[in-house]
Tab-separated table of all heavy atoms in Angstrom:
chain	number	residue	atom	x	y	z
A	77	HIS	N	125.199	138.451	94.232
A	77	HIS	CA	124.731	138.714	95.682
A	77	HIS	C	125.031	137.542	96.614
A	77	HIS	O	125.027	137.631	97.825
A	77	HIS	CB	123.324	139.186	95.795
A	77	HIS	CG	122.372	138.105	95.358
A	77	HIS	ND1	121.810	137.126	96.109
A	77	HIS	CD2	121.783	137.927	94.141
A	77	HIS	CE1	121.026	136.398	95.537
A	77	HIS	NE2	120.892	136.891	94.203
A	78	LEU	N	125.285	136.371	95.970
A	78	LEU	CA	125.534	135.128	96.837
A	78	LEU	C	126.806	134.584	96.488
A	78	LEU	O	127.046	133.991	95.426
A	78	LEU	CB	124.356	134.064	96.576
A	78	LEU	CG	124.516	132.725	97.333
A	78	LEU	CD1	124.459	132.929	98.767
A	78	LEU	CD2	123.565	131.693	96.830
A	90	MET	N	114.241	128.552	95.616
A	90	MET	CA	112.788	128.742	95.844
A	90	MET	C	112.749	129.573	97.051
A	90	MET	O	113.649	129.734	97.777
A	90	MET	CB	112.082	127.416	96.053
A	90	MET	CG	112.439	126.618	97.305
A	90	MET	SD	111.713	124.987	97.370
A	90	MET	CE	112.379	124.180	96.047
A	91	ALA	N	111.536	130.237	97.234
A	91	ALA	CA	111.320	130.994	98.389
A	91	ALA	C	111.543	130.216	99.650
A	91	ALA	O	111.071	128.967	99.663
A	91	ALA	CB	109.913	131.626	98.432
A	92	GLY	N	112.088	130.608	100.784
A	92	GLY	CA	112.347	129.865	101.939
A	92	GLY	C	112.698	130.757	103.132
A	92	GLY	O	112.538	132.018	103.029
A	93	GLY	N	112.988	130.165	104.223
A	93	GLY	CA	113.255	130.936	105.426
A	93	GLY	C	113.929	130.064	106.330
A	93	GLY	O	114.022	128.866	106.287
A	94	HIS	N	114.391	130.752	107.515
A	94	HIS	CA	115.114	130.042	108.604
A	94	HIS	C	114.491	130.602	109.961
A	94	HIS	O	114.269	131.693	110.116
A	94	HIS	CB	116.616	130.287	108.638
A	94	HIS	CG	117.289	129.931	109.780
A	94	HIS	ND1	117.891	130.727	110.741
A	94	HIS	CD2	117.538	128.695	110.209
A	94	HIS	CE1	118.537	130.113	111.697
A	94	HIS	NE2	118.363	128.807	111.413
A	95	TYR	N	114.227	129.534	110.804
A	95	TYR	CA	113.681	129.949	112.101
A	95	TYR	C	114.809	130.117	113.015
A	95	TYR	O	115.621	129.303	113.418
A	95	TYR	CB	112.833	128.717	112.646
A	95	TYR	CG	112.158	129.020	113.891
A	95	TYR	CD1	111.143	129.976	113.985
A	95	TYR	CD2	112.521	128.459	115.109
A	95	TYR	CE1	110.477	130.334	115.130
A	95	TYR	CE2	111.921	128.802	116.360
A	95	TYR	CZ	110.828	129.738	116.283
A	95	TYR	OH	110.230	130.036	117.496
A	96	GLN	N	115.002	131.428	113.407
A	96	GLN	CA	115.984	131.831	114.424
A	96	GLN	C	115.518	131.583	115.816
A	96	GLN	O	114.409	132.045	116.213
A	96	GLN	CB	116.184	133.363	114.260
A	96	GLN	CG	117.209	133.862	115.155
A	96	GLN	CD	117.361	135.418	115.001
A	96	GLN	OE1	117.996	135.803	113.958
A	96	GLN	NE2	116.816	136.229	115.836
A	103	TRP	N	110.817	133.699	112.334
A	103	TRP	CA	111.199	133.279	111.020
A	103	TRP	C	111.700	134.348	110.179
A	103	TRP	O	111.233	135.507	110.224
A	103	TRP	CB	109.881	132.801	110.227
A	103	TRP	CG	109.396	131.434	110.719
A	103	TRP	CD1	108.435	131.086	111.535
A	103	TRP	CD2	109.996	130.105	110.120
A	103	TRP	NE1	108.256	129.724	111.606
A	103	TRP	CE2	109.257	129.184	110.831
A	103	TRP	CE3	110.993	129.831	109.391
A	103	TRP	CZ2	109.609	127.776	110.648
A	103	TRP	CZ3	111.339	128.506	109.096
A	103	TRP	CH2	110.562	127.438	109.704
A	104	ARG	N	112.821	134.134	109.652
A	104	ARG	CA	113.544	135.138	108.777
A	104	ARG	C	113.528	134.623	107.332
A	104	ARG	O	114.012	133.715	106.951
A	104	ARG	CB	115.022	135.296	109.148
A	104	ARG	CG	115.251	135.606	110.588
A	104	ARG	CD	116.655	135.832	111.014
A	104	ARG	NE	117.154	137.108	110.434
A	104	ARG	CZ	118.496	137.257	110.432
A	104	ARG	NH1	119.410	136.535	110.860
A	104	ARG	NH2	118.755	138.533	109.777
A	105	PRO	N	112.708	135.430	106.573
A	105	PRO	CA	112.547	135.047	105.162
A	105	PRO	C	113.566	135.351	104.209
A	105	PRO	O	114.377	136.212	104.396
A	105	PRO	CB	111.277	135.825	104.747
A	105	PRO	CG	111.301	137.090	105.587
A	105	PRO	CD	111.907	136.703	106.831
A	106	GLY	N	113.684	134.604	103.111
A	106	GLY	CA	114.720	134.727	102.126
A	106	GLY	C	114.423	133.748	101.080
A	106	GLY	O	113.364	133.598	100.591
A	107	SER	N	115.506	133.274	100.496
A	107	SER	CA	115.449	132.304	99.443
A	107	SER	C	116.308	131.094	99.799
A	107	SER	O	117.355	131.268	100.314
A	107	SER	CB	115.881	132.804	98.066
A	107	SER	OG	115.049	133.885	97.658
A	108	ALA	N	115.719	129.822	99.500
A	108	ALA	CA	116.549	128.616	99.720
A	108	ALA	C	117.202	128.155	98.463
A	108	ALA	O	116.562	128.164	97.431
A	108	ALA	CB	115.449	127.548	100.135
A	109	TYR	N	118.544	128.097	98.594
A	109	TYR	CA	119.342	127.667	97.438
A	109	TYR	C	119.952	126.166	97.763
A	109	TYR	O	120.520	126.040	98.783
A	109	TYR	CB	120.539	128.632	97.231
A	109	TYR	CG	120.147	130.004	96.780
A	109	TYR	CD1	119.860	131.009	97.772
A	109	TYR	CD2	120.076	130.390	95.386
A	109	TYR	CE1	119.398	132.283	97.273
A	109	TYR	CE2	119.621	131.614	95.009
A	109	TYR	CZ	119.347	132.574	96.020
A	109	TYR	OH	118.987	133.807	95.585
A	110	LEU	N	119.763	125.392	96.806
A	110	LEU	CA	120.443	124.063	96.955
A	110	LEU	C	121.519	124.167	95.816
A	110	LEU	O	121.281	124.261	94.607
A	110	LEU	CB	119.587	122.951	96.634
A	110	LEU	CG	120.240	121.570	96.522
A	110	LEU	CD1	120.989	121.143	97.884
A	110	LEU	CD2	119.246	120.515	96.208
A	111	THR	N	122.782	124.063	96.179
A	111	THR	CA	123.936	123.986	95.286
A	111	THR	C	124.498	122.535	95.245
A	111	THR	O	124.094	121.712	95.910
A	111	THR	CB	124.979	124.919	95.611
A	111	THR	OG1	125.776	124.513	96.730
A	111	THR	CG2	124.339	126.378	95.913
A	114	ARG	N	126.245	122.938	98.881
A	114	ARG	CA	125.660	123.469	100.244
A	114	ARG	C	124.067	123.522	100.150
A	114	ARG	O	123.504	123.522	99.004
A	114	ARG	CB	126.165	124.846	100.526
A	114	ARG	CG	127.609	124.811	100.857
A	114	ARG	CD	128.090	126.282	101.113
A	114	ARG	NE	128.081	127.033	99.928
A	114	ARG	CZ	128.219	128.381	99.892
A	114	ARG	NH1	128.216	129.068	100.988
A	114	ARG	NH2	128.181	129.024	98.734
A	115	LEU	N	123.419	123.686	101.282
A	115	LEU	CA	122.022	124.115	101.335
A	115	LEU	C	122.057	125.431	102.033
A	115	LEU	O	122.736	125.534	103.143
A	115	LEU	CB	121.283	123.130	102.123
A	115	LEU	CG	119.815	123.450	102.364
A	115	LEU	CD1	119.035	123.616	101.004
A	115	LEU	CD2	119.052	122.358	103.217
A	116	ILE	N	121.509	126.479	101.378
A	116	ILE	CA	121.623	127.837	101.932
A	116	ILE	C	120.327	128.525	101.967
A	116	ILE	O	119.453	128.428	101.109
A	116	ILE	CB	122.593	128.590	100.885
A	116	ILE	CG1	123.858	127.885	100.711
A	116	ILE	CG2	122.882	129.962	101.518
A	116	ILE	CD1	124.616	128.566	99.380
A	117	ILE	N	120.193	129.355	103.104
A	117	ILE	CA	119.005	130.303	103.132
A	117	ILE	C	119.643	131.649	103.091
A	117	ILE	O	120.437	132.035	104.010
A	117	ILE	CB	118.167	130.126	104.411
A	117	ILE	CG1	117.634	128.636	104.601
A	117	ILE	CG2	117.038	131.049	104.525
A	117	ILE	CD1	116.755	128.265	103.495
A	118	HIS	N	119.423	132.414	101.965
A	118	HIS	CA	119.965	133.709	101.823
A	118	HIS	C	119.022	134.802	101.622
A	118	HIS	O	117.990	134.597	100.882
A	118	HIS	CB	121.011	133.564	100.578
A	118	HIS	CG	121.719	134.838	100.291
A	118	HIS	ND1	122.840	135.096	101.068
A	118	HIS	CD2	121.678	135.741	99.361
A	118	HIS	CE1	123.370	136.221	100.518
A	118	HIS	NE2	122.611	136.675	99.523
A	119	ARG	N	119.244	135.924	102.071
A	119	ARG	CA	118.525	137.096	101.782
A	119	ARG	C	119.196	138.047	100.881
A	119	ARG	O	120.301	138.281	101.156
A	119	ARG	CB	118.110	137.765	103.098
A	119	ARG	CG	117.227	139.038	102.970
A	119	ARG	CD	116.869	139.463	104.317
A	119	ARG	NE	118.005	140.009	105.021
A	119	ARG	CZ	117.988	140.453	106.224
A	119	ARG	NH1	116.865	140.378	107.023
A	119	ARG	NH2	119.085	140.863	106.866
A	120	ARG	N	118.496	138.524	99.862
A	120	ARG	CA	119.208	139.298	98.793
A	120	ARG	C	119.349	140.823	99.257
A	120	ARG	O	120.346	141.414	98.982
A	120	ARG	CB	118.328	139.203	97.500
A	120	ARG	CG	119.045	140.073	96.367
A	120	ARG	CD	118.558	139.604	95.036
A	120	ARG	NE	119.184	140.285	93.947
A	120	ARG	CZ	118.980	140.047	92.708
A	120	ARG	NH1	118.129	139.049	92.361
A	120	ARG	NH2	119.678	140.694	91.786
A	122	PRO	N	118.751	143.389	102.550
A	122	PRO	CA	120.150	143.473	102.349
A	122	PRO	C	120.800	142.088	102.209
A	122	PRO	O	120.278	141.185	102.933
A	122	PRO	CB	120.633	144.251	103.691
A	122	PRO	CG	119.606	143.933	104.627
A	122	PRO	CD	118.273	143.790	103.957
A	123	ALA	N	121.941	142.013	101.585
A	123	ALA	CA	122.560	140.781	101.296
A	123	ALA	C	123.038	140.041	102.606
A	123	ALA	O	123.739	140.705	103.374
A	123	ALA	CB	123.773	140.783	100.334
A	124	GLU	N	122.556	138.859	102.875
A	124	GLU	CA	122.911	138.276	104.079
A	124	GLU	C	122.538	136.748	104.081
A	124	GLU	O	121.555	136.364	103.661
A	124	GLU	CB	122.145	138.831	105.399
A	124	GLU	CG	122.534	138.066	106.686
A	124	GLU	CD	121.681	138.626	107.892
A	124	GLU	OE1	120.845	139.523	107.605
A	124	GLU	OE2	122.004	138.175	109.011
A	125	THR	N	123.513	135.960	104.336
A	125	THR	CA	123.313	134.463	104.461
A	125	THR	C	122.759	134.115	105.841
A	125	THR	O	123.476	134.254	106.900
A	125	THR	CB	124.570	133.762	104.237
A	125	THR	OG1	124.994	134.031	102.843
A	125	THR	CG2	124.328	132.219	104.325
A	126	LEU	N	121.451	133.874	105.822
A	126	LEU	CA	120.858	133.451	107.196
A	126	LEU	C	121.165	132.177	107.814
A	126	LEU	O	121.291	131.996	108.984
A	126	LEU	CB	119.322	133.593	107.011
A	126	LEU	CG	118.799	134.834	106.271
A	126	LEU	CD1	117.224	134.802	106.074
A	126	LEU	CD2	119.175	136.092	107.061
A	127	TRP	N	121.440	131.178	106.996
A	127	TRP	CA	121.835	129.845	107.444
A	127	TRP	C	122.350	129.065	106.198
A	127	TRP	O	122.057	129.329	105.109
A	127	TRP	CB	120.525	129.066	107.864
A	127	TRP	CG	120.858	127.651	108.365
A	127	TRP	CD1	121.057	127.395	109.622
A	127	TRP	CD2	120.814	126.508	107.577
A	127	TRP	NE1	121.273	125.906	109.732
A	127	TRP	CE2	121.175	125.397	108.459
A	127	TRP	CE3	120.603	126.218	106.246
A	127	TRP	CZ2	121.106	124.064	108.073
A	127	TRP	CZ3	120.708	124.966	105.806
A	127	TRP	CH2	120.922	123.829	106.695
A	128	GLN	N	123.423	128.165	106.496
A	128	GLN	CA	123.934	127.401	105.436
A	128	GLN	C	124.587	126.188	106.107
A	128	GLN	O	124.886	126.165	107.265
A	128	GLN	CB	124.978	128.193	104.605
A	128	GLN	CG	126.264	128.615	105.426
A	128	GLN	CD	127.249	129.205	104.545
A	128	GLN	OE1	127.521	128.773	103.394
A	128	GLN	NE2	127.903	130.277	104.986
A	129	ALA	N	124.692	125.050	105.259
A	129	ALA	CA	125.352	123.820	105.725
A	129	ALA	C	125.855	123.204	104.543
A	129	ALA	O	125.149	123.189	103.449
A	129	ALA	CB	124.452	122.982	106.601
A	153	ILE	N	110.953	122.004	107.373
A	153	ILE	CA	111.992	121.092	107.004
A	153	ILE	C	112.990	121.052	108.323
A	153	ILE	O	113.460	122.164	108.687
A	153	ILE	CB	112.818	121.496	105.776
A	153	ILE	CG1	111.929	121.455	104.600
A	153	ILE	CG2	114.054	120.576	105.546
A	153	ILE	CD1	112.534	122.095	103.363
A	155	VAL	N	116.447	119.936	109.637
A	155	VAL	CA	117.748	119.409	109.223
A	155	VAL	C	118.612	119.311	110.523
A	155	VAL	O	118.790	120.102	111.378
A	155	VAL	CB	118.415	120.577	108.430
A	155	VAL	CG1	119.856	120.159	107.955
A	155	VAL	CG2	117.597	120.923	107.212
A	163	SER	N	118.167	122.502	112.827
A	163	SER	CA	117.717	123.801	112.204
A	163	SER	C	116.436	123.522	111.560
A	163	SER	O	116.172	122.472	111.028
A	163	SER	CB	118.670	124.437	111.347
A	163	SER	OG	119.887	124.765	111.988
A	164	LYS	N	115.511	124.528	111.712
A	164	LYS	CA	114.164	124.391	111.017
A	164	LYS	C	114.133	125.409	109.934
A	164	LYS	O	114.426	126.561	110.135
A	164	LYS	CB	113.111	124.737	112.202
A	164	LYS	CG	111.705	124.356	111.640
A	164	LYS	CD	110.691	124.122	112.711
A	164	LYS	CE	110.654	125.331	113.659
A	164	LYS	NZ	109.499	125.184	114.656
A	165	LEU	N	113.748	124.923	108.788
A	165	LEU	CA	113.702	125.722	107.576
A	165	LEU	C	112.264	125.702	106.965
A	165	LEU	O	111.548	124.730	107.243
A	165	LEU	CB	114.715	125.201	106.581
A	165	LEU	CG	116.188	124.987	106.979
A	165	LEU	CD1	116.939	124.407	105.807
A	165	LEU	CD2	116.771	126.262	107.515
A	166	SER	N	112.088	126.642	106.166
A	166	SER	CA	110.833	126.574	105.346
A	166	SER	C	111.091	126.642	103.852
A	166	SER	O	112.163	127.262	103.506
A	166	SER	CB	109.844	127.789	105.667
A	166	SER	OG	110.388	129.052	105.439
A	167	ALA	N	110.190	126.274	103.046
A	167	ALA	CA	110.390	126.345	101.683
A	167	ALA	C	109.069	126.196	100.919
A	167	ALA	O	108.029	125.701	101.377
A	167	ALA	CB	111.276	125.152	101.091
A	168	LEU	N	109.115	126.814	99.649
A	168	LEU	CA	107.824	126.850	98.947
A	168	LEU	C	107.372	125.453	98.588
A	168	LEU	O	106.186	125.125	98.676
A	168	LEU	CB	108.061	127.744	97.706
A	168	LEU	CG	106.793	127.781	96.696
A	168	LEU	CD1	105.736	128.527	97.419
A	168	LEU	CD2	107.210	128.531	95.509
A	173	LEU	N	112.456	120.012	97.781
A	173	LEU	CA	113.709	120.404	98.268
A	173	LEU	C	114.374	119.236	99.000
A	173	LEU	O	115.515	118.955	98.884
A	173	LEU	CB	113.607	121.631	99.190
A	173	LEU	CG	114.972	122.191	99.634
A	173	LEU	CD1	115.843	122.614	98.454
A	173	LEU	CD2	114.687	123.364	100.533
Side-chain angles (χ1 to χ4, degrees):
H77 62 88
L78 176 64
M90 64 184 70
H94 170 248
Y95 185 69
Q96 178 180 287
W103 280 100
R104 304 185 69 191
S107 296
Y109 294 89
L110 173 62
T111 74
R114 295 177 292 166
L115 178 59
I116 309 167
I117 304 296
H118 183 78
R119 181 175 63 188
R120 182 166 184 170
E124 180 184 2
T125 298
L126 307 177
W127 180 91
Q128 64 174 321
I153 300 174
V155 181
S163 295
K164 189 161 58 175
L165 313 177
S166 65
L168 179 62
L173 185 60

